[in-house]
Amino acid sequence: MDKYVYFFGNGTEGTEGDASMKETLGGKGANLAEMCRLGIPVPAGFTLKCEVCDLYTKNNNNWPEGLKEQVEANLKKLEESMGMTFGCSENPLLLSVRSGAAQSLPGMMDTVLNLGLNEKSLQGLIKRSGSTRFAYDSYRRFIQMFANVAMEVDHDKFEHVLEAVKEIKGVKVDSDLDADALQEVITGYLEVVKSTTGQEFPSDPMDQLTMSINAVLRSWNNDRCVRYREMNDIRGLVGTAVNVQAMVFGNLGETSGTGVCFTRNPSDGENLFYGEYLMNAQGEDVVAGIRTPNPISTLAETDKKAYDELVAIRTNLELHYKDMQDIEFTIQDGKLYILQTRNAKRTIFAWLRTCVEMVDEGLIDENTAITRMPAGEFNKLFAPVLDGGDIQSKGIKAVTEALNASPGGASGQVFFSADDAEEAAAQGKKVMLVRIETSPEDIGGMAVAQGILTARGGMTSHAAVVARGMGCPCVSGAADVKIDYNAKKMNINGVEIAEGDFISIDGFTGEVFGEAIQVKPSEIVQVLNGELKEADSLLATNYNKFMAMVDRKRTLLVRTNADTPKDTEMAVKFGAEGIGLCRTEHMFFEGNRIISMREMILAENTADRETALAKLLPMQREDFEGIFKALNGLPATVRLLDPPLHEFLPHGDAGANEVADTLGIDPEVVKQKVRALHEENPMLGFRGCRLSVCYPEILEMQVRAIIEAAINVEAAGTKAQPEIMIPLIGHKEELAILKAKALEVIEKVFSEKGTKVDYKIGTMIEVPRAAITADDVAEEAEFFSFGTNDLTQMTCGFSRDDSGSFLPTYVKSSIYEYDPFAVLDQDGVGKLMETAISLGRKTRPDIKLGICGEHGGEPKTVAFCHKIGLNYVSCSPYRVPVARLAAAQATI
Amino acid sequence: MDKYVYFFGNGTEGTEGDASMKETLGGKGANLAEMCRLGIPVPAGFTLKCEVCDLYTKNNNNWPEGLKEQVEANLKKLEESMGMTFGCSENPLLLSVRSGAAQSLPGMMDTVLNLGLNEKSLQGLIKRSGSTRFAYDSYRRFIQMFANVAMEVDHDKFEHVLEAVKEIKGVKVDSDLDADALQEVITGYLEVVKSTTGQEFPSDPMDQLTMSINAVLRSWNNDRCVRYREMNDIRGLVGTAVNVQAMVFGNLGETSGTGVCFTRNPSDGENLFYGEYLMNAQGEDVVAGIRTPNPISTLAETDKKAYDELVAIRTNLELHYKDMQDIEFTIQDGKLYILQTRNAKRTIFAWLRTCVEMVDEGLIDENTAITRMPAGEFNKLFAPVLDGGDIQSKGIKAVTEALNASPGGASGQVFFSADDAEEAAAQGKKVMLVRIETSPEDIGGMAVAQGILTARGGMTSHAAVVARGMGCPCVSGAADVKIDYNAKKMNINGVEIAEGDFISIDGFTGEVFGEAIQVKPSEIVQVLNGELKEADSLLATNYNKFMAMVDRKRTLLVRTNADTPKDTEMAVKFGAEGIGLCRTEHMFFEGNRIISMREMILAENTADRETALAKLLPMQREDFEGIFKALNGLPATVRLLDPPLHEFLPHGDAGANEVADTLGIDPEVVKQKVRALHEENPMLGFRGCRLSVCYPEILEMQVRAIIEAAINVEAAGTKAQPEIMIPLIGHKEELAILKAKALEVIEKVFSEKGTKVDYKIGTMIEVPRAAITADDVAEEAEFFSFGTNDLTQMTCGFSRDDSGSFLPTYVKSSIYEYDPFAVLDQDGVGKLMETAISLGRKTRPDIKLGICGEHGGEPKTVAFCHKIGLNYVSCSPYRVPVARLAAAQATI
């Protein structure tokens, strides 16, 4: 018989679970068991393991065989442990039934409290509490909660009864109802249940328990819960555990109370006991906001004993879990009970500070600090923030709060369409794009926006994904935001905001503000840029401490993808150890260069092409000089021209006429060329090394520019380490031919200049054929850099531009766990990389290996790259720190 | 010291080479050596091996070290063997210097005859021949030939001298010049050499020999020769050998003569001694056409002894080489010499007959017959032919002859542009497309043409490649065809042909005729179609005999790619053992179906889509019934819908309006859908199984149609073997999901119909990821069919539609040996196939494996498929016989 139910209580001997069993018992259940083992006062109970939920659902909402017996046996044990009896008229055991999955889904599932009350046990509760009113009120609440959760009776129906009684009795607030009045309410409630459901309210406590457990199990698949998991991208859970626990009451009078506390500050991580409580209250009162809770420090005055005990438990739990805890407690008649502990959620700022300080305190070692740091959130450290001082001084309150879809603070004027946003941005306005939801057509507006706010869509919606990709703050799924596109205005909880009005969003918290708020750059960025002293920023100090730990640990190097000296400088400040991908094509778009580039493309013979290329040479050389200088001796992998030539030509007649005018040629020639260069599948077309195979003079110019720049920079005293990367190689012979041409140019430049520099020649591995034949390719290549964007496109057969029509369905259907363009497809593309590595090393054991696709900054991919033995990953400048972190995590 | 020179002559003991050394000594050299070993009367000589040519070129036209000594030593041996002395005044040895590569390049390289003549040896020749005139004439010819070949003196200059002397002497034809006159001619010739080159004509025979050898070596890289290799796709040769041989003279009088003969008829293969000769003539006179040669049989009357000896040699050589020979001979003063033997070139008809008859005769075994059959030409057997009877009865002569680029006879009216051709074809005219050269824009016109004639372009030109692919007869590179596009006419050697005039071409021979000629289908096709009795066609009888040998040998099955019952029937007649690829999408274009298809695509929800699909169901079912019937129990792999949906929608406003009109919807809806379905890279877009993952109802309809059809056909008494193929699988999960859906439908149909049929479900392997993860995919797939078209596109990163801009350069640069879309890229794509096979078999040892890309009918690829262990190849109906042949060849 499978074991479905785990008891907790009665100290270590009596407790069957422990903290390690989170996947089995859910977070709450595992931690309740652990606390019992630690001797912390926890009301006893038992946990139905998560798998039960899955079995129940698959079995058409029936319990698996044996579960009933196990629940009964555990209930028996619980009665014995508490010295109380379920449903008894003397000292009745009351129960809470709560959900608790392996990951937290706050408030999404159902809970039943005060379970076990009926006419008989009610008498017992009166006796025990000494308060008829309390007992009746408990019963009333139970009926309402149970009937709603387990019997699907609308809340409203009960509210009507309550209102009616209040009217009859002439009272205004619930708490003024006396025991008799509550008696009438109870009678009314029971009638509501009967008339609505056609069934009597179950008086058998065992029926109540069964029905409550079922309600909690079913709530795993309620719309709200499913939607929450979708919105927060929570996957891979089998279901929720169910925790059945003896009730304790914080509302038995002024010697009772309840509260929530954190062992440290969850907002900034400061090591200070932090929390709130209310006396004579139940848990829901603390969060409901009707009464203002007291700061935890004042509990010392109210109930010194309980406070001291709580402080001791705080220490005990933190020492035990070696992490910051989020603790729920109840004081019943002066006795402290802990109802829950869990590792506290916290901001990335709190993560940084707690990790660093806990290492300093000796609580954890560096490995633990590194492992814990949420790599997926690490980039938030560098996002701009809303100025808290400004918010406080202006006394601004959020108008709504929704999903923190992309981190950072942003403030600006509202526009409701991408076109309007673009127009306003062009006029120099700071723009906030507000949409019901975004689609690919909004990209232009998103690109110019300071921040994005959407009324619909979760953490993986178009807006959220694109905003994160752009590093643009975004709050999504703000259901309270009612947009009227025609009137160009919106209403947020009563606040009217029209086009051009100012709003601010906090992408860290999901808060939306109806006014302008100042935005500050991240302190870390200010320090890296020398605009702020490290000593003046605790955040930057901790950041540097933490990154030092990270760098001590990691073996994988981190380079950057940068095409300009400016980007390169920033990346080096972020810790980049070289350039892994310098895309030369971007350089051709600037200023006059595009003219020469077009001249080159429109050339009708080699001589004309060479003339145009000669004009580009000094500009390219200057680019590379700037980059080599910015790198100050670090290596730079420079990729030769890659995109299809049509990308450099204008589309449309007006553009063609303009180009023809500039170059002084017949517009028909330009149009003809555009037509000739049109391709059905440009991704698989005339690009990459294929350009140089057909027009070697392009490669010759670029190689000359690189080598001349390196020589010039070295002459000025800075070491240059150019690595010439030939893209889109599919066949060894392509590389052999082009490498020979490159070597010819290099030797020529060396002899012209009378000096030499070090260099390497290698290739991108981005065509599957190159990966499969990497042993051959390695004969010519000194390094491989995996271009995982294209490699994914060709290996999986997905066009990145077009996959929007089916990839979301694929991810939803779990065909791919993640979008393979965001997280490397390890089983497919990754396997091909492993093949290429092992073949490449067979030919050239010391071949240098890196990755330069956009996956290079994605933590799961970085871990994979470490595992398969790459020398480095390369990513955009702002992702360098997270890549360093992920590289360190991968070693542990 | 490397051995560069090989002697032949003096029987077996004296001869250093043999027939097996073709690669080393060239075809001519190896066979001369072999004949010496056989005791056949061959003038002695020696061969400089082919590698010398390569070394000479690489070494800036200098001889490799040691060659001089070896030539001298062999010359010495030759003098001894012949009992004559080089340059001697008594009995001078004269030499011929001839080229001879491993493959025949007829007439492309230089030859020098009568070498060794100077004032001194001339006297010896006079003595030996007894004819001063003959000797002078030989000397004159030698000077002209040598100076032209080795000293680059124009022929014209010598002709002027000759004409001048003829004028002075008052004679009309060369042969009327007497010895004195020739003496003057010689003097004039020597002056021409001196004045043109500034050098004396070399009188030292050794200088003559060296310069002649050099001239032959250089001629390997002359324009004509390079162009010939390019045009005929001859690659991989290191160079030409040089054969230096003692001269014999067929023009020493009426007891001398020369001729060419074949051991069988090279045109139809009949076993009859065949050839021509002329007495008192040199070799060039036989082919020059000034004198009409005599049929070989008449030699028996002229010189019985020589004839008998020749007949004996014919038998001897054929028995020895076990193949039909092409023999050159010279009779000098009644003594027969054989100057060359080689395996005879012959038509595919002659190949078929000789192979079959030689097996019958016991000369060769079946394996040899199969191996010899040129698979690349085998398809010519099925091409239509010009009616020889018609040509003869009308007395038609060819107006020119060029490259036989694509086999078959064609006749029709000339059009000079693709547009004109299409228009004329639409009016029902039989069209011959004539172009200077073709480009991809001409495809439409090529598709409707009976035949194609181009003035430029070789065997691998656009016209040639496309025509072969279409099975359309083509003659290319016809330099004599002068086209005037503006006037819409052409001139071929003086014959004016205007648009609309009739011409005919013979794609077997390259002949072009200026008139209409009747075209007959291949006798084999007539017999297969039951229009002609096998007994009445020797060709068809031999074909069937040969294919029986082939089928006895091969283990690889051959299926066909067919989408209609008609194609299927034809393929089965050609020996197809099932359908390897039935593309269902073609079925959707016919008649009203396209309307329902468009309705389906334009549907806005599942219900509308299902309604449209329901209309397609009966049509699809009917298609499959027809195909299963035509297969008569053979298996059929049916591929579910594959292309992107936009292919079914019209492009352009007019088309959209028409569709909207037909379907009674807003044209804007159609246009919107066309825009929405537009893709940047449709090859990698929303197609294949991705359609069914998103719209499973498409798959459901198709699977239902297949299974219902199978049940219906079986109910009518014919076994059906449907194999459902899900295309474009990249991930096991895609297949798992779709297979589950298919199984659901199948079970439903089975239960509706109350009966079952056998079926299989499998996938195409065409996405690299599927190949890499074939072990996973095989968990779901009962068979793999390699879709090598797409697999090549994705593995190599080539778009088939766009690769024209660089692939020709790639093949020219030998990056790829062949166009990877024509001949499978074994090292890349093939390696991936091998990976997929080994992974697939690991999971499912009995997995069925096939190939259905267009490579499936290409002989080199078929051999590879046999080697890697596929169960079958699949190709278009007309390629089935050649695939069967290639499969048999692969086993040997």
Side-chain angles (χ1 to χ4, degrees), chain B residues 241-471:
Chain B
V242 183
N243 297 290
V244 178
Q245 194 175 17
M247 281 294 296
V248 288
F249 296 93
N251 54 349
L252 278 183
E254 288 309 315
T255 57
S256 299
T258 191
V260 175
C261 56
F262 293 84
T263 57
R264 303 187 186 213
N265 185 325
S267 167
D268 63 9
E270 191 184 5
N271 190 357
L272 205 70
F273 193 30
Y274 179 91
E276 299 173 324
Y277 75 100
L278 279 173
M279 294 311 280
N280 196 13
Q282 278 196 306
E284 61 192 45
D285 299 328
V286 179
V287 287
I290 300 170
R291 289 163 61 189
T292 303
N294 312 304
I296 198 75
S297 54
T298 63
L299 182 62
E301 298 146 32
T302 316
D303 185 341
K304 182 84 170 69
K305 181 175 146 279
Y307 181 73
D308 288 347
E309 202 179 343
L310 190 60
V311 168
I313 286 171
R314 170 204 173 202
T315 309
N316 187 356
L317 284 176
E318 213 184 70
L319 279 171
H320 180 71
Y321 283 103
K322 297 186 192 308
D323 199 358
M324 172 177 161
Q325 296 297 298
D326 165 357
I327 302 165
E328 289 176 20
F329 64 91
T330 287
I331 302 167
Q332 178 176 287
D333 281 336
K335 174 160 172 39
L336 177 71
Y337 290 96
I338 305 297
L339 298 182
Q340 168 152 310
T341 191
R342 57 184 169 188
N343 292 338
K345 294 203 171 178
R346 67 206 94 164
T347 66
I348 190 65
F349 304 102
W351 271 114
L352 183 65
R353 183 161 176 184
T354 54
C355 281
V356 170
E357 291 187 353
M358 283 180 185
V359 169
D360 287 346
E361 294 160 17
L363 188 65
I364 58 175
D365 60 14
E366 291 192 358
N367 281 1
T368 307
I370 291 167
T371 315
R372 269 189 196 162
M373 187 63 68
E377 293 183 44
F378 201 63
N379 256 15
K380 295 182 181 176
L381 288 172
F382 313 109
V385 293
L386 292 182
D387 185 337
D390 196 37
I391 297 179
Q392 230 163 2
S393 71
K394 292 183 186 158
I396 301 172
K397 291 265 170 264
V399 286
T400 188
E401 197 176 325
L403 291 170
N404 50 349
S406 176
S411 191
Q413 289 175 273
V414 168
F415 291 90
F416 295 99
S417 82
D419 287 345
D420 292 344
E422 285 190 77
E423 207 183 304
Q427 292 163 14
K429 292 185 180 147
K430 294 205 165 182
V431 164
M432 300 292 288
L433 180 65
V434 178
R435 302 282 297 161
I436 295 175
E437 54 193 341
T438 62
S439 74
E441 282 134 47
D442 296 325
I443 289 285
M446 296 171 85
V448 299
Q450 302 293 314
I452 298 163
L453 170 63
T454 69
R456 282 199 216 129
M459 294 300 283
T460 57
S461 65
H462 179 265
V465 171
V466 171
R468 283 197 296 271
M470 289 176 168

Side-chain angles (χ1 to χ4, degrees), chain B residues 512-568:
Chain B
V512 179
F513 302 89
E515 307 171 43
I517 298 174
Q518 282 189 6
V519 174
K520 297 189 307 182
S522 155
E523 276 183 21
I524 297 173
V525 173
Q526 289 185 60
V527 169
L528 291 178
N529 279 334
E531 295 152 12
L532 181 70
K533 279 192 210 142
E534 182 181 324
D536 292 340
S537 166
L538 181 62
L539 179 63
T541 305
N542 282 333
Y543 170 75
N544 285 334
K545 271 192 189 172
F546 183 73
M547 293 314 284
M549 292 185 214
V550 160
D551 288 346
R552 275 194 289 279
K553 197 70 205 166
R554 77 189 160 94
T555 54
L556 190 65
L557 297 176
V558 176
R559 294 195 186 185
T560 190
N561 299 349
D563 313 334
T564 63
K566 189 163 158 272
D567 280 357
T568 309

Side-chain angles (χ1 to χ4, degrees), chain A residues 787-816:
Chain A
T788 48
N789 298 347
D790 277 4
L791 193 59
T792 299
Q793 297 198 82
M794 293 185 219
T795 304
C796 299
F798 296 152
S799 159
R800 194 171 187 180
D801 294 322
D802 307 315
S803 57
S805 49
F806 56 90
L807 256 193
T809 308
Y810 268 54
V811 175
K812 217 168 191 165
S813 313
S814 293
I815 293 174
Y816 285 88

Side-chain angles (χ1 to χ4, degrees), chain A residues 495-749:
Chain A
V495 179
E496 282 272 331
I497 295 168
E499 181 181 85
D501 289 352
F502 280 86
I503 64 165
S504 305
I505 61 171
D506 188 333
F508 291 110
T509 62
E511 284 170 304
V512 180
F513 303 89
E515 306 170 44
I517 298 174
Q518 281 187 4
V519 173
K520 297 190 305 182
S522 156
E523 278 182 20
I524 296 174
V525 174
Q526 290 184 59
V527 169
L528 290 178
N529 279 332
E531 296 152 12
L532 181 69
K533 280 192 210 139
E534 181 181 324
D536 293 340
S537 167
L538 183 61
L539 180 62
T541 306
N542 282 333
Y543 169 76
N544 285 332
K545 272 193 191 173
F546 182 74
M547 292 315 282
M549 293 185 214
V550 160
D551 288 346
R552 275 193 289 278
K553 198 68 205 167
R554 74 188 162 95
T555 54
L556 190 64
L557 296 177
V558 176
R559 294 196 187 185
T560 191
N561 299 349
D563 313 333
T564 63
K566 188 161 159 273
D567 281 358
T568 308
E569 269 166 38
M570 195 63 224
V572 170
K573 286 176 188 163
F574 276 128
E577 288 150 318
I579 288 181
L581 176 63
C582 172
R583 283 160 294 218
T584 52
E585 50 269 22
H586 293 174
M587 303 174 178
F588 292 124
F589 283 103
E590 283 170 35
N592 282 339
R593 299 170 177 206
I594 186 74
I595 299 172
S596 303
M597 189 66 189
R598 287 170 174 168
E599 226 176 310
M600 191 276 284
I601 294 169
L602 291 161
E604 291 188 358
N605 53 50
T606 308
D608 287 356
R609 208 154 32 238
E610 282 172 344
T611 307
L613 286 164
K615 293 185 199 165
L616 289 167
L617 173 66
M619 309 188 212
Q620 281 254 292
R621 189 173 51 220
E622 207 180 311
D623 293 327
F624 295 133
E625 285 170 0
I627 286 170
F628 291 141
K629 274 183 217 153
L631 281 170
N632 198 22
L634 296 169
T637 307
V638 181
R639 179 176 74 183
L640 303 186
L641 189 67
D642 185 56
L645 297 180
H646 67 77
E647 290 194 8
F648 298 98
L649 291 184
H651 293 164
D653 282 359
N657 290 336
E658 205 185 305
V659 168
D661 203 37
T662 310
L663 299 181
I665 57 176
D666 181 357
E668 197 43 49
V669 171
V670 181
K671 290 176 202 166
Q672 184 112 31
K673 193 75 190 178
V674 169
R675 277 197 298 276
L677 289 175
H678 171 81
E679 296 188 306
E680 287 302 310
N681 296 288
M683 236 299 295
L684 306 176
F686 189 37
R687 50 174 285 242
C689 67
R690 297 165 194 175
L691 298 171
S692 293
V693 168
C694 296
Y695 306 129
E697 49 281 5
I698 299 177
L699 168 137
E700 285 161 15
M701 182 280 283
Q702 292 203 293
V703 170
R704 175 172 281 275
I706 294 166
I707 297 297
E708 288 184 352
I711 288 174
N712 293 349
V713 168
E714 294 212 342
T718 305
K719 170 85 185 154
Q721 286 197 61
E723 299 176 342
I724 297 168
M725 180 155 73
I726 299 176
L728 213 71
I729 291 294
H731 196 296
K732 172 200 157 183
E733 284 303 317
E734 286 172 298
L735 187 56
I737 288 173
L738 295 178
K739 187 181 170 184
K741 283 195 201 302
L743 290 178
E744 217 174 277
V745 173
I746 293 171
E747 285 308 318
K748 210 163 150 200
V749 175

Side-chain angles (χ1 to χ4, degrees), chain A residues 108-357:
Chain A
M108 291 301 124
M109 288 179 286
D110 290 331
T111 296
V112 179
L113 302 176
N114 300 337
L115 190 143
L117 281 177
N118 55 17
E119 291 303 328
K120 189 171 149 206
S121 58
L122 187 61
Q123 302 313 314
L125 188 59
I126 292 168
K127 283 178 203 156
R128 185 166 145 235
S129 65
S131 162
T132 310
R133 196 202 166 279
F134 164 77
Y136 281 8
D137 192 43
S138 298
Y139 190 30
R140 166 191 84 81
R141 286 169 188 262
F142 166 59
I143 295 168
Q144 183 169 352
M145 201 173 215
F146 179 93
N148 177 251
V149 165
M151 302 178 80
E152 293 174 6
V153 183
D154 260 4
H155 263 298
D156 288 352
K157 301 211 163 139
F158 297 112
E159 290 302 320
H160 290 152
V161 173
L162 193 66
E163 290 308 315
V165 175
K166 271 152 80 179
E167 201 163 321
I168 293 163
K169 300 289 175 184
V171 303
K172 289 256 162 79
V173 291
D174 298 6
S175 52
D176 288 347
L177 289 170
D178 63 10
D180 287 350
L182 287 170
Q183 177 77 281
E184 282 176 44
V185 172
I186 287 167
T187 310
Y189 274 16
L190 292 173
E191 274 164 17
V192 162
V193 172
K194 180 81 193 284
S195 67
T196 310
T197 67
Q199 293 181 304
E200 294 288 350
F201 185 84
S203 61
D204 178 351
M206 204 57 216
D207 287 349
Q208 293 174 0
L209 178 58
T210 307
M211 288 170 77
S212 297
I213 288 172
N214 287 346
V216 171
L217 291 174
R218 282 198 306 270
S219 68
W220 175 253
N221 285 315
N222 71 29
D223 289 349
R224 194 171 51 161
C225 195
V226 169
R227 194 171 138 75
Y228 182 89
R229 290 200 296 274
E230 254 179 46
M231 302 256 289
N232 290 278
D233 200 22
I234 295 174
R235 288 184 287 183
L237 299 180
V238 292
T240 181
V242 183
N243 296 291
V244 179
Q245 193 175 18
M247 282 292 298
V248 290
F249 296 93
N251 54 351
L252 280 182
E254 289 308 317
T255 58
S256 297
T258 192
V260 176
C261 56
F262 293 84
T263 57
R264 304 188 186 211
N265 186 324
S267 168
D268 65 8
E270 191 184 4
N271 190 358
L272 204 70
F273 194 28
Y274 178 92
E276 299 174 326
Y277 73 101
L278 279 172
M279 296 310 282
N280 195 15
Q282 280 196 306
E284 61 193 43
D285 301 329
V286 180
V287 286
I290 299 168
R291 291 162 61 191
T292 304
N294 311 303
I296 198 75
S297 56
T298 64
L299 183 61
E301 297 146 33
T302 316
D303 186 340
K304 181 81 171 72
K305 181 174 145 285
Y307 180 74
D308 289 346
E309 204 180 339
L310 191 59
V311 169
I313 287 170
R314 170 207 174 201
T315 310
N316 188 355
L317 284 175
E318 214 185 70
L319 280 171
H320 179 70
Y321 283 103
K322 299 188 191 303
D323 199 0
M324 173 177 161
Q325 296 297 298
D326 164 358
I327 302 165
E328 288 177 19
F329 64 92
T330 287
I331 303 166
Q332 180 176 283
D333 283 337
K335 176 160 173 41
L336 177 72
Y337 291 96
I338 305 296
L339 299 181
Q340 168 152 310
T341 192
R342 57 181 169 188
N343 292 339
K345 295 205 170 176
R346 67 206 91 163
T347 66
I348 191 65
F349 305 102
W351 271 114
L352 182 65
R353 183 162 174 182
T354 54
C355 281
V356 170
E357 291 188 354

Side-chain angles (χ1 to χ4, degrees), chain A residues 678-686 689-690 693-694 728 730-731 733-734 737 767-770 772-775 793-799 801-802 805-806 809-810 813-816 825 827-829 831-832 839, chain B residues 678-686 689-690 693-694 728 730-731 733-734 737 767-770 772-775 793-799 801-802 805-806 809-810 813-816 825 827-829 831-832 839:
Chain A
H678 171 81
E679 296 188 306
E680 287 302 310
N681 296 288
M683 236 299 295
L684 306 176
F686 189 37
C689 67
R690 297 165 194 175
V693 168
C694 296
L728 213 71
H731 196 296
E733 284 303 317
E734 286 172 298
I737 288 173
V767 174
R769 195 185 187 286
I772 304 166
T773 61
D775 42 353
Q793 297 198 82
M794 293 185 219
T795 304
C796 299
F798 296 152
S799 159
D801 294 322
D802 307 315
S805 49
F806 56 90
T809 308
Y810 268 54
S813 313
S814 293
I815 293 174
Y816 285 88
D825 160 36
D827 297 338
V829 180
K831 199 167 164 194
L832 203 52
L839 289 175
Chain B
H678 171 79
E679 296 188 307
E680 287 300 311
N681 295 289
M683 235 301 295
L684 306 175
F686 188 36
C689 66
R690 298 165 192 173
V693 168
C694 296
L728 213 72
H731 197 296
E733 282 304 315
E734 287 172 298
I737 289 173
V767 173
R769 197 185 186 285
I772 304 166
T773 61
D775 42 353
Q793 296 198 81
M794 294 186 220
T795 304
C796 298
F798 296 151
S799 160
D801 294 323
D802 307 316
S805 49
F806 55 90
T809 308
Y810 268 53
S813 314
S814 293
I815 293 174
Y816 286 89
D825 160 36
D827 297 337
V829 179
K831 199 168 164 192
L832 203 53
L839 290 173

Side-chain angles (χ1 to χ4, degrees), chain B residues 158 250 254 372 437 474 530 615 627 632 652 861:
Chain B
F158 295 112
E254 288 309 315
R372 269 189 196 162
E437 54 193 341
C474 174
K615 292 184 199 166
I627 286 169
N632 198 21
T861 309

